[in-house]
Amino acid sequence: MEAVEAIPNEGTSGENSIRGNRKRSRLNFKKRLKILLLAGVCSILGVLFYIHFWHNHEMGSGPTVPVVDRGPFQKQWSDREVFLLGLGDSITSGFGASPGKSYFYRLLKNPSDEFSEMEGLTLSAVLPNLTSENRSLSGTTSIELLEFSLPKIEEQPAETFGIVVLTTGGNDVIHNYGRTPPREGAMYGATMEEAEPWFKNFEIRLTAILDLVEQKFPGGCDVFLGNIYDPTDGVGDTLNAGLPAWDDGLEVLQRYNQIIKTTCEQRPNVHLVDLHSTFQGHGIHCKKFWKATYRKEDPYYWYFDNLEDPNDRGYDAIRRLYLNKIAEVVPARLSTQQTNAVSKTSVVIQ
């Protein structure tokens, strides 16, 4: 019998082809869906990453640094009349601080919710005849301090020793936030070339400020001068801080701080309080663990809503810096002056 050749079932072949096409389509759809979902997840994670590391400025809680040595506060420094005077800008006036938590107030008295490690570490505890006055004014530039604020300060009695806490220069640099062309006293946006004569004038002005402060204290004084911190943590990206771009901003700031440092070194009774170094890593990049300024032990933001003033934790840190520097200098200075006074009295009697 002759073999009959099998004829393909065209309907079955067509159905298989359709099924294959549908299967491939479903696989391609699932593949595209997975890619889209992955891209969506990556986008969401990217947004969350950006928000967390660029815009999520958590302030943290608890005590800051540095540690204050309790040793100098275990005994009275002197029974002499001592006058604590606050001068300068909004940092010393306490703008942005909760009631009782400015650094100036905390130098005098512990707030009601003080950290246990800081209880009793105040100037009032070691200087029984301490009086005080805060004559700082928020927004003041170094020009205004010299021309308007200082002339209103009364000269103190010869028996009074002065402790002067001072912050100035920061407003010279940051004003007028790029809203007006840069000028002396409102340098924001200036090039280094434009700012050169203003640097020289600041150096002259700072010397004049300190000369005038000393004249107010014929009985002697020590001045504790803070330098200028940097909310960009050394990056200089003012755009990320909500301000116009400023290419030379970091150099301008560094130049001002160098003038402050050099001036302190030239005067034995003027002492640098290094806010700049202590605040590094607590600005707008505080969360970025890959940066050299990252503070693992306290990666939190120490600035107030306006960026240029500290928050409560920032003021705690400033209080500690000033206390340490004052405790390092003032007890010995008062002791020396008392010894000299006794020696002079003995000479007169003889």
Side-chain angles (χ1 to χ4, degrees):
M1 175 181 265
E2 188 175 329
V4 179
E5 185 176 351
I7 301 174
N9 188 327
E10 293 183 1
T12 302
S13 177
E15 288 176 1
N16 289 338
S17 177
I18 291 171
R19 290 192 191 98
N21 289 337
R22 287 175 177 172
K23 184 176 181 180
R24 284 191 294 272
S25 295
R26 284 195 299 270
L27 290 174
N28 288 336
F29 174 76
K30 289 180 179 178
K31 185 177 180 180
R32 288 195 298 271
L33 183 60
K34 287 179 180 179
I35 292 172
L36 287 172
L37 288 173
L38 182 61
V41 169
C42 289
S43 297
I44 292 170
L45 290 175
V47 170
L48 293 175
F49 180 89
Y50 179 77
I51 290 173
H52 179 72
F53 288 105
W54 270 264
H55 292 283
N56 185 17
H57 298 151
E58 295 178 36
M59 296 182 183
S61 61
T64 59
V65 293
V67 173
V68 176
D69 182 6
R70 187 169 286 274
F73 295 88
Q74 297 301 304
K75 61 180 181 179
Q76 181 177 305
W77 292 354
S78 173
D79 59 2
R80 186 174 172 183
E81 298 286 342
V82 178
F83 182 46
L84 174 67
L85 175 64
L87 289 174
D89 53 31
S90 56
I91 296 175
T92 299
S93 72
F95 189 87
S98 300
K101 293 192 175 180
S102 69
Y103 92 81
F104 186 88
Y105 184 91
R106 283 171 146 174
L107 289 177
L108 293 164
K109 182 180 179 181
N110 294 133
S112 59
D113 59 347
E114 184 60 273
F115 309 117
S116 58
E117 68 183 73
M118 292 299 297
E119 289 179 1
L121 301 183
T122 65
L123 297 182
S124 299
V126 289
L127 295 168
N129 293 312
L130 177 69
T131 56
S132 65
E133 189 172 358
N134 193 344
R135 297 291 288 273
S136 59
L137 182 63
S138 182
T140 301
T141 64
S142 63
I143 299 170
E144 293 161 335
L145 171 61
L146 179 61
E147 294 182 356
F148 303 110
S149 299
L150 273 175
K152 298 176 182 178
I153 304 297
E154 303 81 7
E155 183 175 309
Q156 299 301 305
E159 62 270 16
T160 299
F161 182 81
I163 299 175
V164 182
V165 292
L166 169 63
T167 53
T168 193
N171 288 330
D172 299 17
V173 174
I174 200 170
H175 286 179
N176 198 18
Y177 313 101
R179 294 194 292 257
T180 57
R183 65 181 189 277
E184 187 169 13
M187 300 166 64
Y188 196 98
T191 64
M192 288 296 288
E193 184 179 1
E194 285 178 299
E196 188 59 40
W198 304 335
F199 296 142
K200 294 178 181 177
N201 289 343
F202 176 64
E203 187 171 7
I204 294 169
R205 191 162 55 247
L206 189 56
T207 296
I209 287 169
L210 295 170
D211 285 343
L212 192 51
V213 167
E214 289 178 11
Q215 292 172 23
K216 303 294 183 180
F217 291 94
C221 68
D222 276 299
V223 181
F224 299 87
L225 174 59
N227 60 9
I228 306 168
Y229 47 44
D230 170 21
T232 73
D233 291 331
V235 179
D237 54 340
T238 51
L239 278 173
N240 283 328
L243 294 170
W246 185 7
D247 292 341
D248 290 349
L250 277 184
E251 287 187 80
V252 169
L253 175 62
Q254 289 166 1
R255 186 69 174 275
Y256 250 59
N257 275 341
Q258 184 58 51
I259 292 169
I260 291 171
K261 181 175 183 289
T262 301
T263 301
C264 290
E265 290 171 347
Q266 293 171 346
R267 304 178 77 110
N269 68 326
V270 180
H271 315 281
L272 178 66
V273 181
D274 190 4
L275 309 186
H276 184 271
S277 296
T278 304
F279 271 70
Q280 285 286 78
H282 296 290
I284 61 174
H285 297 290
C286 61
K287 288 290 184 181
K288 296 176 182 175
F289 58 86
W290 59 91
K291 288 190 171 294
T293 55
Y294 181 69
R295 305 288 185 124
K296 182 179 179 180
E297 72 285 354
D298 189 358
Y300 295 106
Y301 191 67
W302 284 2
Y303 293 87
F304 187 56
D305 296 342
N306 67 353
L307 183 72
E308 61 184 295
D309 289 297
N311 57 26
D312 285 348
R313 298 193 74 229
Y315 279 117
D316 174 36
I318 295 175
R319 173 265 303 262
R320 293 163 181 263
L321 288 169
Y322 272 92
L323 271 180
N324 275 338
K325 185 59 70 171
I326 291 170
E328 176 187 323
V329 171
V330 170
R333 181 64 58 86
L334 290 173
S335 177
T336 300
Q337 287 202 341
Q338 185 174 357
T339 301
N340 291 341
V342 171
S343 299
K344 289 179 182 179
T345 302
S346 299
V347 169
V348 172
I349 292 173
Q350 291 174 359

